[in-house]
Amino acid sequence: MSKKIHIAIAEDHTMFRETLSNYLIEHGRFRMVIQASNGQDLLEQLKKKTVDIILLDLDMPIMDGRETLKILHVDHPQIGVIILSMHLSKGHVYKYISGGADAYLCKDGDPEMLINAIQSVYKQGIHIDENFTYEMLKEIVDEKFNPPQVVINDPLTAREQEILKLVCEELQNCEIGEKLGISPRTVENHRRTIKVKTGARNMIGLLRYAVQNKLIDLI
């Protein structure tokens, strides 16, 4: 790879940020362009500097990674964003990929995984950890490059919005039914209608719709 990949890091822990920065510089394929201690600092520096990839911590003061991702998704869609977090679950990955991130990595993972993720996002626009299942990989990649299209012009009812929020919390039909006082069969019927209205093909499609329409927020 002849061209160095220009990197920005937004991370409030100075030691972790500088250690990671030095590691990437020593690797030889990357140029560290921005080191920021919070999202606001990052956005200010992006007004003057150009980067290819942003490594974004979620928990930062002043402006955290959640709010920063929303702004990056709108104002800098051409920049690849890799979330760095201590919390790793299918729900988190679904939500942040739906919200505009291109990869989601656990901070205590193998450093070589970060190298692979940066190169994958730079070349292909997405990176999914190999530890996730094939079904999850397929859903995320499918929705990343083929986002759902709303096939009918009919907004979700209040009940459908309520069910969609619970679906996005990864509750099963029986759990949703018990919470709302309706049968699992009724929940399933609502889920089918929600998929038709949103054009979603799977869970990440539903999450994308919910995030974009402000029915749920990034956690």
Side-chain angles (χ1 to χ4, degrees):
M1 186 182 299
S2 57
K3 179 186 179 297
K4 288 192 176 183
I5 301 174
H6 291 194
I7 305 291
I9 298 178
E11 160 67 56
D12 64 316
H13 290 92
T14 304
M15 185 178 295
F16 180 83
R17 185 178 68 241
E18 292 184 353
T19 299
L20 184 56
S21 176
N22 290 335
Y23 172 76
L24 293 175
I25 292 171
E26 289 173 4
H27 197 272
R29 298 184 178 182
F30 311 106
R31 180 184 175 193
M32 196 55 51
V33 178
I34 293 174
Q35 287 196 48
S37 58
N38 58 67
Q40 182 176 301
D41 184 14
L42 171 69
L43 295 173
E44 283 298 317
Q45 293 193 57
L46 283 175
K47 293 178 181 179
K48 302 177 181 178
K49 301 175 182 178
T50 301
V51 301
D52 301 305
I53 303 291
I54 294 172
L55 307 180
L56 184 64
D57 182 30
L58 291 180
D59 300 315
M60 299 181 290
I62 303 177
M63 181 184 289
D64 64 19
R66 301 161 183 81
E67 188 63 31
T68 306
L69 178 62
K70 296 176 188 177
I71 297 172
L72 291 172
H73 186 51
V74 174
D75 294 346
H76 302 279
Q78 77 284 1
I79 301 176
V81 178
I82 298 176
I83 298 293
L84 299 178
S85 174
M86 291 303 298
H87 309 289
L88 187 61
S89 71
K90 185 171 79 171
H92 275 77
V93 176
Y94 273 144
K95 287 184 179 181
Y96 285 103
I97 296 293
S98 297
D102 302 294
Y104 187 108
L105 297 180
C106 191
K107 281 186 174 181
D108 61 2
D110 186 339
E112 192 62 29
M113 293 175 61
L114 176 60
I115 299 296
N116 294 336
I118 293 173
Q119 294 174 342
S120 180
V121 170
Y122 182 72
K123 293 178 182 178
Q124 303 168 22
I126 190 171
H127 173 83
I128 306 299
D129 192 294
E130 61 185 8
N131 293 320
F132 295 116
T133 65
Y134 171 79
E135 289 75 16
M136 183 178 178
L137 293 174
K138 186 175 182 302
E139 285 186 15
I140 290 179
V141 173
D142 185 37
E143 292 299 329
K144 177 73 175 179
F145 295 106
N146 300 287
Q149 301 295 321
V150 177
V151 295
I152 60 176
N153 203 8
D154 190 7
L156 299 184
T157 65
R159 173 63 90 186
E160 289 165 352
Q161 290 183 26
E162 191 174 22
I163 289 174
L164 177 55
K165 291 176 184 178
L166 295 174
V167 169
C168 291
E169 293 176 9
E170 301 182 74
L171 271 64
Q172 301 299 314
N173 287 352
C174 58
E175 296 172 311
I176 295 174
E178 183 177 349
K179 196 175 185 69
L180 299 181
I182 58 179
S183 71
R185 183 183 294 272
T186 300
V187 175
E188 181 59 32
N189 289 337
H190 278 301
R191 290 182 70 148
R192 290 198 194 99
T193 301
I194 291 168
K195 280 190 174 183
V196 171
K197 287 185 175 183
T198 61
R201 294 178 291 273
N202 48 46
M203 181 63 177
I204 194 171
L206 293 173
L207 277 162
R208 183 192 296 272
Y209 178 90
V211 169
Q212 291 179 345
N213 288 275
K214 297 180 172 33
L215 298 179
I216 63 171
D217 200 359
L218 297 176
I219 59 177

